[in-house]
Amino acid sequence: MDHRIRRVRDADVETVVTLVHELAEYEKAPQECHLTAGQLRTALFGPAPALYGHVAEVDGRIVGFALWFRNFSTWRGVHGIYLEDLFVRPEARGTGLGRALLAALAGECVRHGYARLEWWVLDWNPAVGFYTSLGAEAMDEWTVYRLTDEPLRRLAADPAGSA
């Protein structure tokens, strides 16, 4: 098997969108995934790109991806990488591609002097064992909060809380 990890290219966008939708299916939330090729292309290659990505190829065919963006640690005083999504198609799992994708991001961190590589994982995901085997630590003491849809619009419309 000939495999390699490389930066995502414009020509990869349609395939990566398909893989993102496969990830949403795997995570039992396909109805929540609305990503389009136009959105991803703009995020990756538009006038102000804020998203970056790598793909995993096997024999010239893309079978996995990692999409990420820079974050910033006020405590460390430097940037880091937040891994938004990592996915390898089932038939290519267990071949080292997940590790290779994470290693590419770790390499980005080291090359740019970033302090950390972070991501979220669902509790039931069997990859938890893989991540801990790499030395990743669960940040159990933190609770994730999210505003979307109507609550997000309501807060934006009423910043003083007068309603």
mmCIF file of all heavy atoms in Angstrom, residues 82 84 120 139-149 151-152 155:
data_model
loop_
_atom_site.group_PDB
_atom_site.id
_atom_site.type_symbol
_atom_site.label_atom_id
_atom_site.label_comp_id
_atom_site.label_asym_id
_atom_site.label_seq_id
_atom_site.Cartn_x
_atom_site.Cartn_y
_atom_site.Cartn_z
ATOM 1 N N TYR A 82 -6.221 23.679 16.763
ATOM 2 C CA TYR A 82 -7.444 22.984 17.149
ATOM 3 C C TYR A 82 -7.849 22.113 15.966
ATOM 4 O O TYR A 82 -8.093 22.621 14.867
ATOM 5 C CB TYR A 82 -8.583 23.946 17.512
ATOM 6 C CG TYR A 82 -9.806 23.148 17.891
ATOM 7 C CD1 TYR A 82 -9.900 22.583 19.150
ATOM 8 C CD2 TYR A 82 -10.802 22.881 16.962
ATOM 9 C CE1 TYR A 82 -10.984 21.788 19.492
ATOM 10 C CE2 TYR A 82 -11.884 22.087 17.298
ATOM 11 C CZ TYR A 82 -11.966 21.549 18.558
ATOM 12 O OH TYR A 82 -13.022 20.747 18.891
ATOM 13 N N GLU A 84 -10.408 20.305 14.154
ATOM 14 C CA GLU A 84 -11.871 20.300 14.058
ATOM 15 C C GLU A 84 -12.391 18.908 13.732
ATOM 16 O O GLU A 84 -13.321 18.434 14.372
ATOM 17 C CB GLU A 84 -12.333 21.305 12.999
ATOM 18 C CG GLU A 84 -13.817 21.333 12.758
ATOM 19 C CD GLU A 84 -14.639 21.794 13.961
ATOM 20 O OE1 GLU A 84 -14.104 22.459 14.863
ATOM 21 O OE2 GLU A 84 -15.845 21.478 13.993
ATOM 22 N N TRP A 120 -11.635 17.580 20.306
ATOM 23 C CA TRP A 120 -12.677 16.944 21.102
ATOM 24 C C TRP A 120 -12.966 15.585 20.486
ATOM 25 O O TRP A 120 -12.833 15.397 19.276
ATOM 26 C CB TRP A 120 -13.982 17.733 21.069
ATOM 27 C CG TRP A 120 -13.949 19.091 21.644
ATOM 28 C CD1 TRP A 120 -12.971 19.652 22.423
ATOM 29 C CD2 TRP A 120 -14.950 20.093 21.487
ATOM 30 N NE1 TRP A 120 -13.319 20.940 22.757
ATOM 31 C CE2 TRP A 120 -14.535 21.235 22.197
ATOM 32 C CE3 TRP A 120 -16.162 20.141 20.823
ATOM 33 C CZ2 TRP A 120 -15.271 22.393 22.254
ATOM 34 C CZ3 TRP A 120 -16.906 21.301 20.887
ATOM 35 C CH2 TRP A 120 -16.466 22.409 21.592
ATOM 36 N N MET A 139 -9.350 16.159 28.894
ATOM 37 C CA MET A 139 -9.515 17.359 29.705
ATOM 38 C C MET A 139 -10.881 17.286 30.391
ATOM 39 O O MET A 139 -11.757 18.111 30.172
ATOM 40 C CB MET A 139 -9.396 18.617 28.831
ATOM 41 C CG MET A 139 -8.090 18.703 28.043
ATOM 42 S SD MET A 139 -6.616 18.789 29.081
ATOM 43 C CE MET A 139 -6.786 20.405 29.759
ATOM 44 N N ASP A 140 -11.061 16.285 31.244
ATOM 45 C CA ASP A 140 -12.357 15.968 31.853
ATOM 46 C C ASP A 140 -12.925 17.083 32.724
ATOM 47 O O ASP A 140 -14.128 17.157 32.927
ATOM 48 C CB ASP A 140 -12.259 14.719 32.736
ATOM 49 C CG ASP A 140 -11.703 13.528 32.024
ATOM 50 O OD1 ASP A 140 -10.740 13.685 31.267
ATOM 51 O OD2 ASP A 140 -12.225 12.434 32.231
ATOM 52 N N GLU A 141 -12.064 17.928 33.254
ATOM 53 C CA GLU A 141 -12.561 18.948 34.171
ATOM 54 C C GLU A 141 -13.208 20.129 33.449
ATOM 55 O O GLU A 141 -13.762 21.009 34.083
ATOM 56 C CB GLU A 141 -11.442 19.438 35.093
ATOM 57 C CG GLU A 141 -10.358 20.233 34.402
ATOM 58 C CD GLU A 141 -9.237 19.409 33.763
ATOM 59 O OE1 GLU A 141 -9.365 18.182 33.627
ATOM 60 O OE2 GLU A 141 -8.215 20.012 33.405
ATOM 61 N N TRP A 142 -13.151 20.143 32.122
ATOM 62 C CA TRP A 142 -13.739 21.214 31.333
ATOM 63 C C TRP A 142 -15.075 20.767 30.769
ATOM 64 O O TRP A 142 -15.230 19.623 30.344
ATOM 65 C CB TRP A 142 -12.811 21.600 30.181
ATOM 66 C CG TRP A 142 -11.538 22.221 30.653
ATOM 67 C CD1 TRP A 142 -10.385 21.571 30.984
ATOM 68 C CD2 TRP A 142 -11.285 23.600 30.871
ATOM 69 N NE1 TRP A 142 -9.436 22.462 31.385
ATOM 70 C CE2 TRP A 142 -9.960 23.732 31.317
ATOM 71 C CE3 TRP A 142 -12.051 24.744 30.710
ATOM 72 C CZ2 TRP A 142 -9.384 24.947 31.621
ATOM 73 C CZ3 TRP A 142 -11.475 25.963 31.002
ATOM 74 C CH2 TRP A 142 -10.150 26.062 31.458
ATOM 75 N N THR A 143 -16.033 21.675 30.729
ATOM 76 C CA THR A 143 -17.329 21.412 30.112
ATOM 77 C C THR A 143 -17.465 22.323 28.906
ATOM 78 O O THR A 143 -17.253 23.527 28.998
ATOM 79 C CB THR A 143 -18.479 21.688 31.103
ATOM 80 O OG1 THR A 143 -18.299 20.846 32.240
ATOM 81 C CG2 THR A 143 -19.823 21.424 30.467
ATOM 82 N N VAL A 144 -17.827 21.749 27.785
ATOM 83 C CA VAL A 144 -17.980 22.510 26.548
ATOM 84 C C VAL A 144 -19.350 23.178 26.545
ATOM 85 O O VAL A 144 -20.356 22.546 26.861
ATOM 86 C CB VAL A 144 -17.851 21.577 25.327
ATOM 87 C CG1 VAL A 144 -18.086 22.347 24.035
ATOM 88 C CG2 VAL A 144 -16.496 20.896 25.327
ATOM 89 N N TYR A 145 -19.376 24.454 26.193
ATOM 90 C CA TYR A 145 -20.621 25.186 26.010
ATOM 91 C C TYR A 145 -20.689 25.657 24.571
ATOM 92 O O TYR A 145 -19.653 25.951 23.961
ATOM 93 C CB TYR A 145 -20.691 26.405 26.947
ATOM 94 C CG TYR A 145 -20.982 26.018 28.366
ATOM 95 C CD1 TYR A 145 -19.956 25.669 29.226
ATOM 96 C CD2 TYR A 145 -22.284 25.988 28.834
ATOM 97 C CE1 TYR A 145 -20.221 25.298 30.530
ATOM 98 C CE2 TYR A 145 -22.557 25.620 30.142
ATOM 99 C CZ TYR A 145 -21.512 25.275 30.982
ATOM 100 O OH TYR A 145 -21.784 24.909 32.273
ATOM 101 N N ARG A 146 -21.907 25.750 24.041
ATOM 102 C CA ARG A 146 -22.079 26.169 22.657
ATOM 103 C C ARG A 146 -23.365 26.963 22.504
ATOM 104 O O ARG A 146 -24.399 26.588 23.031
ATOM 105 C CB ARG A 146 -22.137 24.929 21.762
ATOM 106 C CG ARG A 146 -22.345 25.247 20.299
ATOM 107 C CD ARG A 146 -22.380 24.000 19.458
ATOM 108 N NE ARG A 146 -21.043 23.422 19.449
ATOM 109 C CZ ARG A 146 -20.772 22.166 19.085
ATOM 110 N NH1 ARG A 146 -21.737 21.361 18.731
ATOM 111 N NH2 ARG A 146 -19.541 21.710 19.087
ATOM 112 N N LEU A 147 -23.282 28.049 21.773
ATOM 113 C CA LEU A 147 -24.461 28.816 21.365
ATOM 114 C C LEU A 147 -24.631 28.644 19.862
ATOM 115 O O LEU A 147 -23.678 28.845 19.105
ATOM 116 C CB LEU A 147 -24.285 30.305 21.660
ATOM 117 C CG LEU A 147 -24.571 30.797 23.059
ATOM 118 C CD1 LEU A 147 -24.162 32.261 23.199
ATOM 119 C CD2 LEU A 147 -26.032 30.628 23.417
ATOM 120 N N THR A 148 -25.824 28.276 19.423
ATOM 121 C CA THR A 148 -26.137 28.177 18.001
ATOM 122 C C THR A 148 -27.560 28.650 17.766
ATOM 123 O O THR A 148 -28.331 28.857 18.712
ATOM 124 C CB THR A 148 -26.034 26.723 17.475
ATOM 125 O OG1 THR A 148 -26.971 25.913 18.182
ATOM 126 C CG2 THR A 148 -24.642 26.152 17.636
ATOM 127 N N ASP A 149 -27.897 28.816 16.516
ATOM 128 C CA ASP A 149 -29.253 29.075 16.073
ATOM 129 C C ASP A 149 -29.918 30.220 16.849
ATOM 130 O O ASP A 149 -29.345 31.278 17.001
ATOM 131 C CB ASP A 149 -30.079 27.782 16.117
ATOM 132 C CG ASP A 149 -29.440 26.677 15.292
ATOM 133 O OD1 ASP A 149 -28.900 26.990 14.217
ATOM 134 O OD2 ASP A 149 -29.454 25.511 15.729
ATOM 135 N N PRO A 151 -30.693 30.836 20.140
ATOM 136 C CA PRO A 151 -30.015 31.448 21.294
ATOM 137 C C PRO A 151 -28.844 32.353 20.885
ATOM 138 O O PRO A 151 -28.625 33.396 21.491
ATOM 139 C CB PRO A 151 -29.531 30.250 22.112
ATOM 140 C CG PRO A 151 -30.469 29.153 21.735
ATOM 141 C CD PRO A 151 -30.793 29.382 20.286
ATOM 142 N N LEU A 152 -28.123 31.978 19.854
ATOM 143 C CA LEU A 152 -27.023 32.797 19.357
ATOM 144 C C LEU A 152 -27.557 34.118 18.809
ATOM 145 O O LEU A 152 -27.042 35.200 19.137
ATOM 146 C CB LEU A 152 -26.263 32.035 18.267
ATOM 147 C CG LEU A 152 -25.086 32.754 17.627
ATOM 148 C CD1 LEU A 152 -23.964 32.941 18.633
ATOM 149 C CD2 LEU A 152 -24.614 31.972 16.412
ATOM 150 N N LEU A 155 -28.876 36.449 21.724
ATOM 151 C CA LEU A 155 -27.807 37.129 22.451
ATOM 152 C C LEU A 155 -27.213 38.262 21.617
ATOM 153 O O LEU A 155 -26.962 39.352 22.131
ATOM 154 C CB LEU A 155 -26.715 36.138 22.854
ATOM 155 C CG LEU A 155 -25.525 36.733 23.621
ATOM 156 C CD1 LEU A 155 -25.971 37.408 24.906
ATOM 157 C CD2 LEU A 155 -24.487 35.663 23.882
#
